[in-house]
Amino acid sequence: MSDAYNAQAIKTVKFGGSSLADANQFRKVKAIITAEPNRRYVVPSAPGKRNSVDTKITDMLYTCQKLAAESKPFDDVLEQIRNRYLEIAQELELSFDPTDELNIIAAKLKSGATKDYAASRGEYLNGLLLSDYLGFPFVDAAEVIVFSDNGVLMQEETMTALRNRLSKMEHAVIPGFYGATVNGEIITFSRGGSDITGSLVARAVRAQMYENWTDVSGVLVADPRIIPNAAVINTITYEELRELSYMGATVLHEDAIFPVRAAGIPINIRNTNDPDAAGTLIVADDSADSDAATGYTITGIAGRKGFCAINIQKAMMNAELGFCRKVLSVLEELGISFEHMPSGIDTMSIILHEDAIRGREQTVLSRIRKAVSPDSCAIEHGISLLAVVGRGMRRTRGTAARIFAALAHARINIKMIDQGSSELNIIIGLLDGDFEEAIRRIYGVFVDASMQPEE
Ligand code: ASP
């Protein structure tokens, strides 16, 4: 057969665990795939939760492996896994039966199979099931996603393997989340890693679009737990998404961006439960009109709690050569990374994540005291960082003023401000107790005026 990629407008479609949690979700997935013939390469996750108290297949498989490693019985859990797949297959009137495969998995677990092997079987079995349901051939990810012996993805080898295989195929189902070393040892990505598989497949087949189907209608301007019914972002650049993800927005696995970004393939986040919604388009072009993002100056707001500040003060600090370097060397020697370093003339603060310093506070303080003999040096806990992200800020004056006016009206004290040279975001440090209200106020100013309380 000629190179199947020559056909235009190929789409790679990845479906997350909630999109494949039961037979009804499988039906929606099939309807989406058959609605567009160019949705040719399909990457499934393992069945996820059907409701908030349900357990993901991946987690059940980790449990089996843990029990097996402790020489405890795991048949009950394996039986639940079997029933999940069987129930889906029977409701869809398929002859697929995972029993034989599960017997092989059980035997391998009893003889010491790894966590990665166990977890990967969720996607493997779901891939077989979906391949049966769609009538698309199955390609085992162990044969096309290549890892080095120390567990690092080998991009070039993976591209070659995927291209060799898929160029001869009109359609395929390639399970997400795992691959293998050349010796056949199964390796998984970190959690949520099916997103990466989808991105790799999209790049390999030179897709025109990587559609990532999930259970929300796209990337939201703000966390819906803080802003119910938060607006959806129509278009966002890879850089903006990275800023928002770093600050806590959970949309895609962060490593999923790089393969498609390098090839200029846009990612479209779509909702399996609302397939008519356009979702969010993640694009490379940062000249893309910011108003197309949401119609607002900012693209998104995200933030995280759990930071602390090391506040250092010393008279004439500004005149002391190497002061900063000596302080940072202490952190470097202890292997502690920091987030921001706002400074005054005789003061400096180092903002870092609580996890980075937990249990070592006194060591850090005493080493800093020894290194630079400050007048005072103390740790302040309970700090949140909030990022207001938007490529439109570069061109719009007054964005910072609007943000800070909103916070001032709410009597929120700002502990730190940082605007990077990219002018893509403004990062604000505040107390944990002010975090949610700050997000509501900023959202109110830029997106939904009805959220602004009467002053
Ligand atoms: N099933 C895996 C997990 O639960 C991978 C994925 O869904 O992307 O993390």
Side-chain angles (χ1 to χ4, degrees):
M1 192 199 280
S2 68
D3 189 334
Y5 313 144
N6 291 339
Q8 319 110 10
I10 298 175
K11 287 186 175 177
T12 292
V13 285
K14 180 257 165 180
F15 291 89
S18 57
S19 299
L20 294 161
D22 59 24
N24 201 27
Q25 293 300 84
F26 267 70
R27 286 194 192 97
K28 293 181 193 169
V29 165
K30 186 172 187 171
I32 289 165
I33 292 168
T34 47
E36 275 193 35
N38 53 1
R39 292 185 172 132
R40 291 171 36 189
Y41 301 104
V42 184
V43 175
S45 284
K49 294 183 180 196
R50 290 161 294 186
N51 51 57
S52 58
V53 292
D54 203 9
T55 311
K56 287 176 158 200
I57 292 276
T58 310
D59 290 314
M60 293 200 252
L61 286 161
Y62 279 125
T63 305
C64 288
Q65 193 275 342
K66 188 164 177 284
L67 292 169
E70 293 164 357
S71 306
K72 292 184 183 152
F74 54 87
D75 319 279
D76 287 358
V77 191
L78 212 63
E79 186 57 18
Q80 287 173 37
I81 295 172
R82 193 176 86 92
N83 288 338
R84 284 283 303 268
Y85 286 110
L86 217 47
E87 210 176 284
I88 298 172
Q90 284 169 355
E91 263 194 61
L92 298 175
E93 294 172 3
L94 300 171
S95 56
F96 176 84
D97 183 341
T99 308
D100 291 347
E101 291 284 354
L102 284 167
N103 287 340
I104 298 172
I105 295 167
K108 289 209 178 178
L109 288 176
K110 281 182 190 142
S111 53
T114 62
K115 268 189 189 169
D116 283 16
Y117 168 79
S120 74
R121 298 303 86 186
E123 270 71 10
Y124 172 77
L125 291 171
N126 218 25
L128 288 172
L129 176 50
L130 187 62
S131 137
D132 189 1
Y133 183 45
L134 296 174
F136 289 2
F138 175 81
V139 173
D140 189 352
E143 293 163 20
V144 285
I145 306 288
V146 189
F147 283 89
S148 69
D149 286 338
N150 50 6
V152 179
L153 173 74
M154 297 173 83
Q155 280 242 30
E156 287 318 307
E157 288 75 359
T158 298
M159 281 306 116
T160 310
L162 278 169
R163 283 187 180 136
N164 284 345
R165 182 67 80 84
L166 298 180
S167 63
K168 300 179 205 82
M169 302 176 79
E170 206 53 50
H171 296 105
V173 172
I174 310 110
F177 191 38
Y178 73 94
T181 65
V182 278
N183 298 323
E185 191 197 336
I186 298 285
I187 309 277
T188 62
F189 294 112
S190 55
R191 296 300 301 264
S194 299
D195 287 340
I196 309 172
T197 313
S199 182
L200 291 166
V201 171
R203 177 161 185 195
V205 302
R206 302 188 176 90
Q208 165 245 1
M209 181 74 76
Y210 169 26
E211 287 181 347
N212 189 296
W213 291 82
T214 176
D215 53 10
V216 286
S217 288
V219 186
L220 302 178
V221 175
D223 187 337
R225 286 167 300 186
I226 301 172
I227 311 282
N229 304 319
V232 173
I233 300 170
N234 300 330
T235 67
I236 184 169
T237 65
Y238 296 123
E239 283 86 358
E240 287 174 315
L241 184 69
R242 217 175 122 57
E243 300 277 354
L244 288 175
S245 306
Y246 186 73
M247 290 304 281
T250 48
V251 194
L252 268 186
H253 191 295
E254 60 172 346
D255 295 342
I257 294 180
F258 299 105
V260 282
R261 177 182 184 165
I265 301 167
I267 307 173
N268 192 187
I269 309 281
R270 300 285 295 265
N271 188 351
T272 302
N273 305 318
D274 185 10
D276 295 331
T280 298
L281 200 58
I282 307 166
V283 294
D285 184 6
D286 78 341
S287 66
D289 180 7
S290 73
D291 288 345
T294 52
Y296 320 111
T297 310
I298 62 163
T299 305
I301 314 163
R304 285 197 285 163
K305 291 184 175 176
F307 294 90
C308 61
I310 306 173
N311 295 325
I312 307 168
Q313 194 190 357
K314 186 174 185 185
M316 306 298 287
M317 179 192 287
N318 64 323
E320 195 174 320
L321 212 59
F323 188 94
C324 218
R325 179 184 54 75
K326 288 179 200 155
V327 172
L328 295 183
S329 296
V330 169
L331 297 182
E332 190 178 351
E333 280 155 20
L334 291 169
I336 295 174
S337 80
F338 71 97
E339 305 290 323
H340 300 278
M341 195 181 62
S343 59
I345 296 177
D346 289 335
T347 59
M348 79 185 262
S349 294
I350 301 169
I351 313 261
L352 27 81
H353 206 272
E354 296 271 14
D355 293 344
I357 194 174
R358 187 163 295 124
R360 295 193 287 175
E361 287 94 338
Q362 292 314 318
T363 315
V364 171
L365 291 179
S366 67
R367 293 231 198 154
I368 291 177
R369 285 190 190 110
K370 195 158 160 245
V372 293
S373 313
D375 297 336
S376 70
C377 177
I379 298 185
E380 183 180 3
H381 295 279
I383 292 179
S384 296
L385 291 180
L386 195 155
V388 185
V389 176
R391 59 194 182 275
M393 296 200 289
R394 235 172 266 157
R395 286 180 283 104
T396 319
R397 283 176 219 179
T399 310
R402 290 169 74 194
I403 295 172
F404 298 122
L407 298 182
H409 281 138
R411 296 194 165 67
I412 291 174
N413 184 33
I414 295 165
K415 300 200 74 65
M416 183 210 74
I417 302 169
D418 190 352
Q419 177 175 26
S421 58
S422 66
E423 289 183 57
L424 194 63
N425 64 4
I426 294 177
I427 295 178
I428 302 160
L430 20 88
L431 290 177
D432 279 348
D434 290 329
F435 180 70
E436 283 84 4
E437 184 60 12
I439 292 185
R440 282 193 281 269
R441 292 297 181 120
I442 297 169
Y443 189 87
V445 164
F446 290 97
V447 185
D448 183 357
S450 70
M451 291 195 47
Q452 281 301 91
E454 301 277 326
E455 295 296 333

